[in-house]
Amino acid sequence: MNKRLSQFSRNQALVYKIFLFIASTLLVIYLLPKGGQFKYDFQKGKPWQYENLYAPFSFTIKKSEEALANEQAEIRKNAIPYFDFNAGSVEQSKDKFQQLLDESYVDSLYSTRKQTLLNLGNNIIDKMHLHGVTAEIHAYSQEQLVYLKKGNEVEEIPYRQIVKQDDLDEKVLELIKAGTNSENVWNYMEILLKRSMVPSVTFNQQLTESAIEAEIESLNPNRGIIEKGGRIIAKGEVVEGDTFQILNSLKDEYKSQVWSKSNLIWLLVGYAMLVSLVFLMLFLFLKKYREDIYSNNTKVTFIFFNIVLMVFLTTFIVKLDAAYVYVVPLCVLPLILKAFFDPRLGLFVHVLTLLLLGFIVPNSFEYLFLQIIAGIVTILTVSELYRRANLFISVAQITFIYIIGYFAFFIIQEGNIQTLQWETFGYFILCGLATLFAHPLIYFYEKLFGLVSDVSLLELSDTNSKLLKELSNKAPGTFHHSLNVANLSEAAANEIGANAMLVRVGALYHDIGKMQNPTYFTENQLNAVNTHNELAPKESAKIIIEHVIKGIEIARKNNLPDRIIDFIRTHHGTNLVYYFYKKEKELNGDAKIEDFMYPGPIPFSRETAILMMADSVEAASKSLKNPTSSKIDAFVEKIVNAQMDNGQFLNAHITFKEIQTIKKVLKKKLNNIYHLRVEYPE
């Protein structure tokens, strides 16, 4: 039955991996551009590496983006602006003038009759509003042609014919003097007319822009035709100028003409094969070099999720605007994988992800080169991520590498820096700033996937944390024992290249179950009274064994990560509580071995195996009387060899050589703890 369950479990894990493989492949294919890949790879400023290229079909030469931008700028520069004429403003000006005249005219002061002045004022208002009066300020020259829209009619006039606010005084006074010889009314009429004049012309932004856009849309994007069979470029010729634009035109035409709906199926088949190869390489790498990760479906899902996420983000940005492609913080991927796993896996996954992105991004060679270099720098520079300063320094170095790499590529392609796009450097800086979000992203992933990073391990290793302070208060002897085990385990892990931070934290929490009944454990007994003397051996063994179960319960209640709980579950494996087992046999002549065995499981990683060795050796070392170097050596050998004989390390993926190394570290550390010195002859 157990064999069938085990087989079902293995098959279930395999089925899930196959599902993950297919789902990830389909998602990536969906995100990839639905167009064929041009079979020639070329770059501006570099020689043509292939044989002479002849046009496979007739196609038009597209204008370069720069040429189109220049034409659009020229259209905007020469565009004729539209102005609206408001006929109602003329009547408003006349009504206002008449009102002011009625209020201020005095017969005795002026020799000219009121009606004459009214007629003169209305006549001047009509002349001023012939082409309109505007209060707006524009930078047009006086001879600039403009369209003046009066109702449904549009007339073309020079801009100088529209009266501006600054010219109003001079124009009004000129017309007044031309209309009457009575000098005593000139200033009076000037004041009235200036106060009466309501602007009648306003700039029509919407109509002007519509006209410009219509003219821009009518631009011909092509500038010539290449006939079928015509030579485009010869082998060894440098790709530049018109040739570069012709090749780009052929590339665009190739995608639109060659790749139609009829052969979309073949395109998808090709994509499926290439994407499948990438994911297959990832599975093979995990199977061969990271067996512990491969066997954990959650970790495999986490890796695939991040790859698909990066492909999605890059695709989204490229569709939005390809110029922003370097804003995507791709270096977050190796950084996060390094935080949760190891640098080698981080770099491998980073490179595989870039292979997929090569189908999406423009200038794929330049992009891949910069991103691979940046990924290598990320792996080499980001160490001890839990130190915030390290992340800032590494991000600065990554950004600097981006800038240097892009600058070098630009010089190679353009041969000068006159047209250098400085805003691209800003994109690299934004990318660096986005990379700083690795810390909150790591925290999010820890909660979502149940993983543990060095950042969390550092927080858990703080002896001032609530749980460890509770342990030190309730079971001070156990707390001291845990500190010693942590130091021993960390030293051993460093020596064999295991995760030292993880094993240290696991050691600090491995005995928290002893807080429930601390006096039943010798390290917490402050006097010679042993509470086990009043209990049957079987009862005592049960209490001792239960500290593992209670430790797991306390850990779960305090939301400790599963990787830390693994240390609590496995630190005694399936070992025997030998003292009480032997005592039971002495009292009753027989004893069931099952009643005196820890429930397990046995250690299933190098880190949990190290803890088992360090825990047993440290605890038993307290019983040594007059310890000497030779006694400690024999004592460590005896305990670790007994664990090996009991098969406690069969699932731990630890080698005999590593166990021997761990023994040496434990011996050395114990000698230091007991301050043993070489005995000199008298």
Side-chain angles (χ1 to χ4, degrees):
M1 184 67 179
N2 289 336
K3 186 177 180 181
R4 287 184 178 180
L5 286 173
S6 177
Q7 187 176 5
F8 173 76
S9 178
R10 285 197 299 271
N11 290 338
Q12 191 179 31
L14 181 60
V15 169
Y16 177 78
K17 287 182 176 67
I18 293 172
F19 167 76
L20 184 65
F21 176 84
I22 294 173
S24 301
T25 302
L26 292 177
L27 275 172
V28 171
I29 292 172
Y30 175 76
L31 294 170
L32 293 179
K34 302 304 181 289
Q37 295 294 317
F38 192 50
K39 59 184 177 180
Y40 300 109
D41 186 25
F42 61 92
Q43 281 187 294
K44 188 176 182 180
K46 288 192 173 182
W48 181 255
Q49 301 292 334
Y50 310 96
E51 296 298 324
N52 294 356
L53 178 63
Y54 297 91
F57 44 77
S58 298
F59 64 94
T60 56
I61 305 171
K62 297 185 181 300
K63 295 175 183 175
S64 66
E65 291 184 5
E66 184 181 355
L68 284 172
N70 289 337
E71 289 186 14
Q72 291 175 10
E74 192 66 24
I75 287 173
R76 288 192 174 277
K77 180 181 176 182
N78 298 325
I80 299 178
Y82 280 82
F83 286 85
D84 288 328
F85 181 85
N86 183 11
S89 298
V90 181
E91 294 305 318
Q92 289 179 26
S93 298
K94 289 181 178 180
D95 292 343
K96 197 171 181 181
F97 174 74
Q98 184 172 359
Q99 180 184 352
L100 292 172
L101 185 65
D102 291 341
E103 293 173 354
S104 61
Y105 183 80
V106 179
D107 291 338
S108 60
L109 293 179
Y110 305 109
S111 59
T112 308
R113 292 189 311 118
K114 178 180 177 182
Q115 185 62 41
T116 304
L117 293 179
L118 178 62
N119 293 336
L120 176 62
N122 288 336
N123 185 41
I124 291 173
I125 289 173
D126 285 333
K127 289 181 179 180
M128 292 292 289
H129 283 290
L130 179 63
H131 297 294
V133 176
T134 182
E136 299 172 348
I137 299 174
H138 299 283
Y140 301 122
S141 67
Q142 292 299 315
E143 301 305 318
Q144 166 75 47
L145 293 177
V146 299
Y147 288 126
L148 188 62
K149 185 173 179 291
K150 295 182 177 181
N152 294 325
E153 297 181 357
V154 177
E155 63 174 315
E156 187 179 84
I157 62 171
Y159 182 60
R160 57 180 163 76
Q161 291 186 1
I162 298 175
V163 179
K164 288 77 174 176
Q165 195 75 36
D166 293 344
D167 302 329
L168 193 61
D169 294 353
E170 184 181 344
K171 293 274 187 184
V172 167
L173 187 59
E174 182 182 335
L175 290 173
I176 293 171
K177 290 180 178 180
T180 179
N181 294 323
S182 301
E183 296 183 11
N184 65 328
V185 299
W186 287 356
N187 290 335
Y188 172 65
M189 286 292 289
E190 182 183 4
I191 294 171
L192 293 185
L193 286 169
K194 282 169 58 180
R195 292 176 60 185
S196 304
M197 208 66 67
V198 177
S200 57
V201 172
T202 55
F203 178 64
N204 191 325
Q205 176 76 29
Q206 184 177 356
L207 194 57
T208 303
E209 281 298 320
S210 297
I212 292 172
E213 291 299 326
E215 196 170 351
I216 288 175
E217 286 179 9
S218 66
L219 277 176
N220 186 356
N222 305 316
R223 63 176 181 82
I225 297 176
I226 297 292
E227 297 293 340
K228 181 179 178 180
R231 195 181 79 173
I232 297 173
I233 190 170
K235 184 177 181 179
E237 186 179 338
V238 176
V239 179
E240 58 185 357
D242 287 346
T243 306
F244 178 70
Q245 193 57 38
I246 292 171
L247 286 171
N248 275 326
S249 301
L250 175 61
K251 183 178 179 180
D252 294 339
E253 190 69 24
Y254 185 87
K255 289 180 179 180
S256 61
Q257 181 172 321
V258 177
W259 291 97
S260 59
K261 290 183 179 179
S262 61
N263 51 15
L264 180 62
I265 299 298
W266 289 109
L267 171 67
L268 296 178
V269 168
Y271 272 153
M273 293 172 68
L274 293 174
V275 175
S276 298
L277 277 175
V278 171
F279 286 133
L280 183 61
M281 292 302 104
L282 177 57
F283 269 123
L284 291 175
F285 178 85
L286 294 176
K287 177 70 175 172
K288 186 172 179 63
Y289 298 108
R290 299 293 183 273
E291 181 67 31
D292 56 329
I293 298 176
Y294 178 81
S295 59
N296 189 318
N297 281 340
T298 301
K299 293 179 180 178
V300 175
T301 304
F302 172 72
I303 294 171
F304 273 76
F305 172 80
N306 276 280
I307 293 175
V308 174
L309 178 63
M310 286 300 170
V311 174
F312 169 76
L313 285 176
T314 306
T315 304
F316 176 77
I317 293 297
V318 169
K319 287 182 178 179
L320 187 68
D321 191 339
Y324 300 144
V325 69
Y326 285 109
V327 176
V328 180
L330 208 62
C331 287
V332 166
L333 180 60
L335 195 152
I336 287 178
L337 292 179
K338 181 182 178 182
F340 285 114
F341 304 116
D342 62 89
R344 187 178 177 187
L345 176 62
L347 184 59
F348 188 81
V349 173
H350 180 65
V351 172
L352 290 182
T353 306
L354 289 175
L355 293 179
L356 296 175
L357 296 180
F359 295 113
I360 301 170
V361 298
N363 297 326
S364 55
F365 175 76
E366 175 185 329
Y367 181 83
L368 293 178
F369 184 93
L370 290 178
Q371 295 293 2
I372 288 174
I373 293 296
I376 293 172
V377 171
T378 302
I379 294 298
L380 294 178
T381 60
V382 180
S383 59
E384 298 179 330
L385 190 60
Y386 51 83
R387 299 183 186 276
R388 289 170 295 180
N390 287 359
L391 180 61
F392 280 96
I393 294 170
S394 297
V395 165
Q397 292 172 336
I398 293 165
T399 305
F400 181 71
I401 290 297
Y402 272 132
I403 291 173
I404 291 295
Y406 172 78
F407 184 74
F409 267 104
F410 190 88
I411 292 174
I412 292 172
Q413 293 168 0
E414 300 294 335
N416 60 69
I417 61 170
Q418 295 175 357
T419 57
L420 184 64
Q421 298 175 341
W422 296 99
E423 63 269 17
T424 307
F425 295 154
Y427 300 154
F428 293 136
I429 294 172
L430 287 176
C431 177
L433 294 175
T435 307
L436 294 175
F437 281 94
H439 266 303
L441 196 58
I442 287 171
Y443 177 79
F444 171 75
Y445 280 148
E446 286 178 335
K447 300 302 178 185
L448 183 62
F449 291 94
L451 301 172
V452 182
S453 69
D454 286 349
V455 179
S456 292
L457 290 176
L458 181 68
E459 293 174 357
L460 291 170
S461 67
D462 183 7
T463 54
N464 288 316
S465 64
K466 179 183 175 183
L467 191 54
L468 290 180
K469 289 199 80 170
E470 186 180 355
L471 176 64
S472 67
N473 291 329
K474 291 183 177 180
T478 299
F479 178 71
H480 185 261
H481 159 72
S482 298
L483 287 176
N484 287 337
V485 173
N487 291 331
L488 291 173
S489 301
E490 184 178 22
N494 280 323
E495 198 66 28
I496 67 168
N499 191 330
M501 180 68 78
L502 176 63
V503 75
R504 178 176 181 82
V505 174
L508 289 173
Y509 290 92
H510 79 284
D511 269 344
I512 56 175
K514 292 181 179 180
M515 287 193 295
Q516 297 285 350
N517 297 300
T519 56
Y520 283 94
F521 301 92
T522 55
E523 67 266 24
N524 297 311
Q525 293 169 356
L526 301 178
N527 48 46
V529 178
N530 189 341
T531 50
H532 287 286
N533 293 336
E534 300 174 4
L535 300 174
K538 189 174 179 180
E539 189 72 22
S540 295
K542 183 181 178 183
I543 293 172
I544 297 297
I545 292 170
E546 277 185 347
H547 89 272
V548 173
I549 306 300
K550 289 178 179 178
I552 294 172
E553 292 174 356
I554 294 171
R556 293 199 185 282
K557 185 178 178 181
N558 286 272
N559 297 318
L560 289 185
D562 288 338
R563 290 182 75 186
I564 305 305
I565 295 175
D566 288 340
F567 287 92
I568 301 173
R569 290 194 296 136
T570 61
H571 75 278
H572 284 298
T574 55
N575 281 317
L576 190 66
V577 186
Y578 185 75
Y579 176 81
F580 293 109
Y581 173 70
K582 185 178 179 182
K583 190 175 181 181
E584 176 73 9
K585 287 185 73 174
E586 290 174 355
L587 291 174
N588 301 320
D590 191 21
K592 288 185 179 180
I593 195 169
E594 295 84 5
D595 295 334
F596 296 88
M597 286 180 63
Y598 284 97
I602 60 176
F604 44 78
S605 67
R606 292 191 300 171
E607 288 78 15
T608 50
I610 290 171
L611 177 62
M612 174 181 278
M613 290 182 247
D615 179 45
S616 301
V617 166
E618 203 285 331
S621 69
K622 297 295 190 293
S623 64
L624 283 176
K625 295 179 181 178
N626 300 319
T628 62
S629 182
S630 57
K631 279 185 180 181
I632 288 175
D633 289 358
F635 156 80
V636 171
E637 290 286 344
K638 178 183 176 182
I639 290 178
V640 176
N641 289 342
Q643 291 172 341
M644 292 174 64
D645 293 340
N646 290 336
Q648 298 298 313
F649 306 136
L650 292 178
N651 296 337
H653 305 292
I654 192 168
T655 64
F656 181 76
K657 181 181 179 182
E658 288 172 337
I659 293 175
Q660 293 301 111
T661 303
I662 293 168
K663 286 181 186 177
K664 290 179 182 178
V665 174
L666 295 177
K667 292 172 187 177
K668 181 180 178 182
K669 281 290 183 181
L670 286 175
N671 274 279
N672 292 337
I673 289 172
Y674 291 105
H675 304 288
L676 297 179
R677 300 177 184 274
V678 177
E679 295 182 8
Y680 294 98
E682 294 183 0

